[in-house]
Amino acid sequence: MQAPSNDLQARRQEAMSVLGHSATAEIARHFDGIAVPDHEQLRTPENGLVMLRGRIGGDGAPFNLGEATVSRAAIRLSSGEVGFGYTLGRDGAKAQLIALCDALIQTSQFAGTIETNVLTPLRARVLAERKRKAAETAATKVDFYTLVRGES
């Protein structure tokens, strides 16, 4: 098996970001009508904890910030591609859908279909949500300034 190209790796990373910010039902709805090929579960959905790390002052010494619950899954297509799915929280179904999507975007046969039917509509919704939140935040912006007195 070949090492993934930078283009494929970038596509997979972007897809994981979009899928991670989407709801399980929303992902499943976009998968309707796609003839998913035979696959096997390498890792059934399971929940666990990951340690969140922070840095003092943004670039200082690292420290353990706390733990977060995650779900993960792994799927192998009959053609050999392996997909991995991770998501915050205890949602095994979402991790499984993400893993399936990850495996399918690695194939030449399904990559375009997944991009068109699943990722494009989800990406549009995620971007619209980000713009809405940015607009709400911008509406509360306060400009602080300092007046300089004429005293010397």
Side-chain angles (χ1 to χ4, degrees):
M1 185 176 255
Q2 296 179 354
S5 68
N6 287 340
D7 182 45
L8 177 60
Q9 184 176 354
R11 277 195 345 241
R12 289 176 70 193
Q13 287 175 344
E14 196 273 335
M16 295 307 105
S17 175
V18 169
L19 293 165
H21 287 92
S22 301
T24 308
E26 191 177 16
I27 298 169
R29 186 175 63 247
H30 290 294
F31 257 102
D32 283 347
I34 297 175
V36 178
D38 292 336
H39 59 279
E40 65 176 311
Q41 291 186 10
L42 295 178
R43 175 172 293 152
T44 59
E46 57 187 10
N47 300 320
L49 294 172
V50 294
M51 181 60 68
L52 302 176
R53 307 248 345 192
R55 289 196 176 270
I56 297 171
D59 61 353
F63 66 95
N64 292 335
L65 184 64
E67 295 175 330
T69 305
V70 295
S71 295
R72 67 181 181 175
I75 289 176
R76 181 181 341 183
L77 299 179
S78 57
S79 56
E81 291 82 8
V82 177
F84 300 94
Y86 291 85
T87 186
L88 283 173
R90 300 171 51 96
D91 192 348
K94 182 176 178 181
Q96 195 167 11
L97 283 169
I98 291 172
L100 182 58
C101 188
D102 183 40
L104 290 172
I105 63 174
Q106 296 176 59
T107 67
S108 57
Q109 181 182 2
F110 289 96
T113 302
I114 295 299
E115 178 63 37
T116 303
N117 295 0
V118 179
L119 296 176
T120 299
L122 293 176
R123 186 180 301 114
R125 198 228 11 106
V126 167
L127 289 174
E129 182 67 17
R130 285 182 183 162
K131 285 182 182 178
R132 184 189 64 76
K133 286 182 180 179
E136 284 180 5
T137 303
T140 64
K141 181 180 176 185
V142 177
D143 288 323
F144 292 95
Y145 59 92
T146 304
L147 293 176
V148 178
R149 293 185 185 187
E151 302 169 5
S152 301

